[in-house]
mmCIF file of all heavy atoms in Angstrom:
data_model
loop_
_atom_site.group_PDB
_atom_site.id
_atom_site.type_symbol
_atom_site.label_atom_id
_atom_site.label_comp_id
_atom_site.label_asym_id
_atom_site.label_seq_id
_atom_site.Cartn_x
_atom_site.Cartn_y
_atom_site.Cartn_z
ATOM 1 N N ARG W 1 -1.565 6.567 -2.851
ATOM 2 C CA ARG W 1 -2.013 6.042 -4.146
ATOM 3 C C ARG W 1 -1.599 7.019 -5.243
ATOM 4 O O ARG W 1 -1.695 8.233 -5.076
ATOM 5 C CB ARG W 1 -3.521 5.840 -4.148
ATOM 6 C CG ARG W 1 -4.057 5.091 -5.368
ATOM 7 C CD ARG W 1 -5.527 4.753 -5.170
ATOM 8 N NE ARG W 1 -5.711 3.846 -4.045
ATOM 9 C CZ ARG W 1 -5.598 2.522 -4.124
ATOM 10 N NH1 ARG W 1 -5.282 1.960 -5.286
ATOM 11 N NH2 ARG W 1 -5.811 1.779 -3.055
ATOM 12 N N PHE W 2 -1.124 6.455 -6.379
ATOM 13 C CA PHE W 2 -0.709 7.282 -7.513
ATOM 14 C C PHE W 2 -0.980 6.512 -8.794
ATOM 15 O O PHE W 2 -0.787 5.285 -8.846
ATOM 16 C CB PHE W 2 0.784 7.619 -7.418
ATOM 17 C CG PHE W 2 1.295 8.450 -8.568
ATOM 18 C CD1 PHE W 2 1.292 9.827 -8.497
ATOM 19 C CD2 PHE W 2 1.763 7.844 -9.726
ATOM 20 C CE1 PHE W 2 1.759 10.595 -9.559
ATOM 21 C CE2 PHE W 2 2.233 8.605 -10.789
ATOM 22 C CZ PHE W 2 2.226 9.987 -10.709
ATOM 23 N N SER W 3 -1.394 7.241 -9.852
ATOM 24 C CA SER W 3 -1.625 6.595 -11.138
ATOM 25 C C SER W 3 -1.321 7.567 -12.259
ATOM 26 O O SER W 3 -1.665 8.757 -12.185
ATOM 27 C CB SER W 3 -3.082 6.110 -11.241
ATOM 28 O OG SER W 3 -3.302 5.459 -12.473
ATOM 29 N N ALA W 4 -0.633 7.083 -13.300
ATOM 30 C CA ALA W 4 -0.314 7.883 -14.476
ATOM 31 C C ALA W 4 -0.166 6.933 -15.658
ATOM 32 O O ALA W 4 -0.238 5.710 -15.511
ATOM 33 C CB ALA W 4 0.969 8.689 -14.257
ATOM 34 N N THR W 5 0.056 7.501 -16.845
ATOM 35 C CA THR W 5 0.188 6.653 -18.033
ATOM 36 C C THR W 5 1.400 5.742 -17.949
ATOM 37 O O THR W 5 1.411 4.655 -18.527
ATOM 38 C CB THR W 5 0.305 7.520 -19.301
ATOM 39 O OG1 THR W 5 1.394 8.440 -19.136
ATOM 40 C CG2 THR W 5 -0.982 8.286 -19.547
ATOM 41 N N PHE W 6 2.438 6.176 -17.223
ATOM 42 C CA PHE W 6 3.677 5.409 -17.159
ATOM 43 C C PHE W 6 3.749 4.462 -15.966
ATOM 44 O O PHE W 6 4.706 3.696 -15.841
ATOM 45 C CB PHE W 6 4.894 6.344 -17.130
ATOM 46 C CG PHE W 6 4.781 7.452 -16.116
ATOM 47 C CD1 PHE W 6 4.950 7.204 -14.769
ATOM 48 C CD2 PHE W 6 4.499 8.741 -16.529
ATOM 49 C CE1 PHE W 6 4.851 8.211 -13.838
ATOM 50 C CE2 PHE W 6 4.397 9.776 -15.604
ATOM 51 C CZ PHE W 6 4.577 9.503 -14.252
ATOM 52 N N GLY W 7 2.749 4.492 -15.065
ATOM 53 C CA GLY W 7 2.812 3.569 -13.944
ATOM 54 C C GLY W 7 1.809 3.894 -12.859
ATOM 55 O O GLY W 7 1.050 4.870 -12.934
ATOM 56 N N SER W 8 1.822 3.071 -11.837
ATOM 57 C CA SER W 8 0.922 3.275 -10.701
ATOM 58 C C SER W 8 1.573 2.714 -9.449
ATOM 59 O O SER W 8 2.488 1.885 -9.510
ATOM 60 C CB SER W 8 -0.433 2.600 -10.941
ATOM 61 O OG SER W 8 -0.275 1.195 -11.056
ATOM 62 N N TYR W 9 1.052 3.175 -8.297
ATOM 63 C CA TYR W 9 1.595 2.732 -7.009
ATOM 64 C C TYR W 9 0.513 2.883 -5.951
ATOM 65 O O TYR W 9 -0.246 3.858 -5.949
ATOM 66 C CB TYR W 9 2.813 3.586 -6.640
ATOM 67 C CG TYR W 9 3.408 3.276 -5.286
ATOM 68 C CD1 TYR W 9 4.165 2.120 -5.079
ATOM 69 C CD2 TYR W 9 3.220 4.137 -4.203
ATOM 70 C CE1 TYR W 9 4.720 1.838 -3.846
ATOM 71 C CE2 TYR W 9 3.780 3.866 -2.963
ATOM 72 C CZ TYR W 9 4.523 2.706 -2.789
ATOM 73 O OH TYR W 9 5.081 2.426 -1.567
ATOM 74 N N SER W 10 0.440 1.894 -5.078
ATOM 75 C CA SER W 10 -0.455 2.007 -3.922
ATOM 76 C C SER W 10 0.247 1.427 -2.709
ATOM 77 O O SER W 10 1.046 0.470 -2.821
ATOM 78 C CB SER W 10 -1.776 1.282 -4.172
ATOM 79 O OG SER W 10 -1.579 -0.121 -4.246
ATOM 80 N N PHE W 11 -0.046 2.004 -1.546
ATOM 81 C CA PHE W 11 0.529 1.542 -0.284
ATOM 82 C C PHE W 11 -0.567 1.597 0.766
ATOM 83 O O PHE W 11 -1.233 2.625 0.941
ATOM 84 C CB PHE W 11 1.703 2.428 0.129
ATOM 85 C CG PHE W 11 2.382 1.971 1.385
ATOM 86 C CD1 PHE W 11 3.438 1.080 1.337
ATOM 87 C CD2 PHE W 11 1.954 2.422 2.631
ATOM 88 C CE1 PHE W 11 4.061 0.649 2.500
ATOM 89 C CE2 PHE W 11 2.570 1.989 3.795
ATOM 90 C CZ PHE W 11 3.624 1.101 3.718
ATOM 91 N N THR W 12 -0.785 0.489 1.455
ATOM 92 C CA THR W 12 -1.789 0.448 2.514
ATOM 93 C C THR W 12 -1.165 -0.170 3.760
ATOM 94 O O THR W 12 -0.218 -0.965 3.681
ATOM 95 C CB THR W 12 -3.022 -0.378 2.101
ATOM 96 O OG1 THR W 12 -2.608 -1.722 1.802
ATOM 97 C CG2 THR W 12 -3.693 0.227 0.886
ATOM 98 N N SER W 13 -1.721 0.200 4.914
ATOM 99 C CA SER W 13 -1.220 -0.345 6.183
ATOM 100 C C SER W 13 -2.364 -0.429 7.174
ATOM 101 O O SER W 13 -3.306 0.372 7.133
ATOM 102 C CB SER W 13 -0.093 0.531 6.737
ATOM 103 O OG SER W 13 -0.518 1.877 6.863
ATOM 104 N N ARG W 14 -2.267 -1.395 8.063
ATOM 105 C CA ARG W 14 -3.268 -1.499 9.126
ATOM 106 C C ARG W 14 -2.641 -2.196 10.331
ATOM 107 O O ARG W 14 -1.638 -2.897 10.204
ATOM 108 C CB ARG W 14 -4.517 -2.229 8.658
ATOM 109 C CG ARG W 14 -4.345 -3.703 8.370
ATOM 110 C CD ARG W 14 -5.690 -4.343 7.999
ATOM 111 N NE ARG W 14 -5.573 -5.784 7.823
ATOM 112 C CZ ARG W 14 -5.294 -6.380 6.684
ATOM 113 N NH1 ARG W 14 -5.093 -5.644 5.590
ATOM 114 N NH2 ARG W 14 -5.216 -7.690 6.615
ATOM 115 N N PHE W 15 -3.270 -1.982 11.493
ATOM 116 C CA PHE W 15 -2.778 -2.572 12.738
ATOM 117 C C PHE W 15 -3.980 -3.053 13.533
ATOM 118 O O PHE W 15 -4.839 -2.254 13.923
ATOM 119 C CB PHE W 15 -1.983 -1.525 13.535
ATOM 120 C CG PHE W 15 -1.328 -2.076 14.763
ATOM 121 C CD1 PHE W 15 -0.182 -2.857 14.678
ATOM 122 C CD2 PHE W 15 -1.867 -1.824 16.025
ATOM 123 C CE1 PHE W 15 0.433 -3.367 15.817
ATOM 124 C CE2 PHE W 15 -1.268 -2.331 17.165
ATOM 125 C CZ PHE W 15 -0.111 -3.108 17.063
ATOM 126 N N GLU W 16 -4.036 -4.363 13.723
ATOM 127 C CA GLU W 16 -5.162 -4.960 14.441
ATOM 128 C C GLU W 16 -4.656 -6.050 15.375
ATOM 129 O O GLU W 16 -3.927 -6.949 14.940
ATOM 130 C CB GLU W 16 -6.173 -5.569 13.465
ATOM 131 C CG GLU W 16 -6.840 -4.564 12.538
ATOM 132 C CD GLU W 16 -7.755 -5.236 11.530
ATOM 133 O OE1 GLU W 16 -7.724 -6.491 11.456
ATOM 134 O OE2 GLU W 16 -8.491 -4.524 10.830
ATOM 135 N N ASN W 17 -5.023 -5.948 16.648
ATOM 136 C CA ASN W 17 -4.680 -6.976 17.639
ATOM 137 C C ASN W 17 -3.183 -7.297 17.651
ATOM 138 O O ASN W 17 -2.758 -8.447 17.703
ATOM 139 C CB ASN W 17 -5.467 -8.262 17.369
ATOM 140 C CG ASN W 17 -6.962 -8.040 17.424
ATOM 141 O OD1 ASN W 17 -7.453 -7.317 18.283
ATOM 142 N ND2 ASN W 17 -7.693 -8.657 16.488
ATOM 143 N N GLY W 18 -2.375 -6.243 17.560
ATOM 144 C CA GLY W 18 -0.924 -6.415 17.623
ATOM 145 C C GLY W 18 -0.293 -6.858 16.320
ATOM 146 O O GLY W 18 0.920 -7.087 16.269
ATOM 147 N N LEU W 19 -1.078 -6.958 15.230
ATOM 148 C CA LEU W 19 -0.553 -7.436 13.948
ATOM 149 C C LEU W 19 -0.458 -6.262 12.973
ATOM 150 O O LEU W 19 -1.468 -5.647 12.615
ATOM 151 C CB LEU W 19 -1.472 -8.519 13.385
ATOM 152 C CG LEU W 19 -0.892 -9.409 12.279
ATOM 153 C CD1 LEU W 19 0.260 -10.248 12.814
ATOM 154 C CD2 LEU W 19 -1.982 -10.304 11.702
ATOM 155 N N LEU W 20 0.766 -5.959 12.534
ATOM 156 C CA LEU W 20 1.027 -4.891 11.575
ATOM 157 C C LEU W 20 1.078 -5.494 10.171
ATOM 158 O O LEU W 20 1.839 -6.430 9.911
ATOM 159 C CB LEU W 20 2.354 -4.206 11.898
ATOM 160 C CG LEU W 20 2.848 -3.170 10.883
ATOM 161 C CD1 LEU W 20 1.904 -1.967 10.828
ATOM 162 C CD2 LEU W 20 4.276 -2.728 11.221
ATOM 163 N N THR W 21 0.274 -4.947 9.245
ATOM 164 C CA THR W 21 0.234 -5.438 7.868
ATOM 165 C C THR W 21 0.487 -4.277 6.916
ATOM 166 O O THR W 21 -0.227 -3.268 6.949
ATOM 167 C CB THR W 21 -1.127 -6.079 7.532
ATOM 168 O OG1 THR W 21 -1.387 -7.146 8.453
ATOM 169 C CG2 THR W 21 -1.130 -6.627 6.120
ATOM 170 N N LEU W 22 1.513 -4.412 6.079
ATOM 171 C CA LEU W 22 1.862 -3.412 5.074
ATOM 172 C C LEU W 22 1.816 -4.069 3.698
ATOM 173 O O LEU W 22 2.369 -5.159 3.511
ATOM 174 C CB LEU W 22 3.262 -2.845 5.321
ATOM 175 C CG LEU W 22 3.567 -2.311 6.725
ATOM 176 C CD1 LEU W 22 5.024 -1.878 6.819
ATOM 177 C CD2 LEU W 22 2.643 -1.152 7.073
ATOM 178 N N VAL W 23 1.189 -3.408 2.731
ATOM 179 C CA VAL W 23 1.064 -3.956 1.374
ATOM 180 C C VAL W 23 1.349 -2.843 0.373
ATOM 181 O O VAL W 23 0.770 -1.746 0.477
ATOM 182 C CB VAL W 23 -0.345 -4.530 1.111
ATOM 183 C CG1 VAL W 23 -0.451 -5.038 -0.328
ATOM 184 C CG2 VAL W 23 -0.666 -5.644 2.102
ATOM 185 N N SER W 24 2.239 -3.110 -0.588
ATOM 186 C CA SER W 24 2.490 -2.145 -1.657
ATOM 187 C C SER W 24 2.379 -2.834 -3.008
ATOM 188 O O SER W 24 2.713 -4.019 -3.150
ATOM 189 C CB SER W 24 3.867 -1.495 -1.503
ATOM 190 O OG SER W 24 4.897 -2.391 -1.855
ATOM 191 N N ASP W 25 1.890 -2.087 -4.003
ATOM 192 C CA ASP W 25 1.784 -2.570 -5.384
ATOM 193 C C ASP W 25 2.346 -1.504 -6.310
ATOM 194 O O ASP W 25 1.900 -0.341 -6.270
ATOM 195 C CB ASP W 25 0.332 -2.863 -5.752
ATOM 196 C CG ASP W 25 -0.174 -4.134 -5.101
ATOM 197 O OD1 ASP W 25 0.261 -5.216 -5.509
ATOM 198 O OD2 ASP W 25 -0.997 -4.034 -4.164
ATOM 199 N N PHE W 26 3.299 -1.925 -7.147
ATOM 200 C CA PHE W 26 4.009 -0.999 -8.038
ATOM 201 C C PHE W 26 3.896 -1.493 -9.469
ATOM 202 O O PHE W 26 4.038 -2.687 -9.739
ATOM 203 C CB PHE W 26 5.483 -0.931 -7.610
ATOM 204 C CG PHE W 26 6.380 -0.190 -8.568
ATOM 205 C CD1 PHE W 26 6.541 1.175 -8.460
ATOM 206 C CD2 PHE W 26 7.068 -0.867 -9.571
ATOM 207 C CE1 PHE W 26 7.374 1.862 -9.340
ATOM 208 C CE2 PHE W 26 7.902 -0.191 -10.452
ATOM 209 C CZ PHE W 26 8.047 1.181 -10.336
#
């Protein structure tokens, strides 16, 4: 996770029951 006056970014990931989920917001 990152945040500044010029922008922000987050990245999350999880693994459940064989399912990989990746999410990013820029």
Side-chain angles (χ1 to χ4, degrees):
R1 189 171 297 275
F2 179 91
S3 181
T5 55
F6 49 75
S8 63
Y9 176 75
S10 68
F11 183 90
T12 60
S13 55
R14 68 176 185 270
F15 186 76
E16 297 176 351
N17 301 319
L19 197 65
L20 173 65
T21 303
L22 308 176
V23 178
S24 74
D25 286 289
F26 171 88

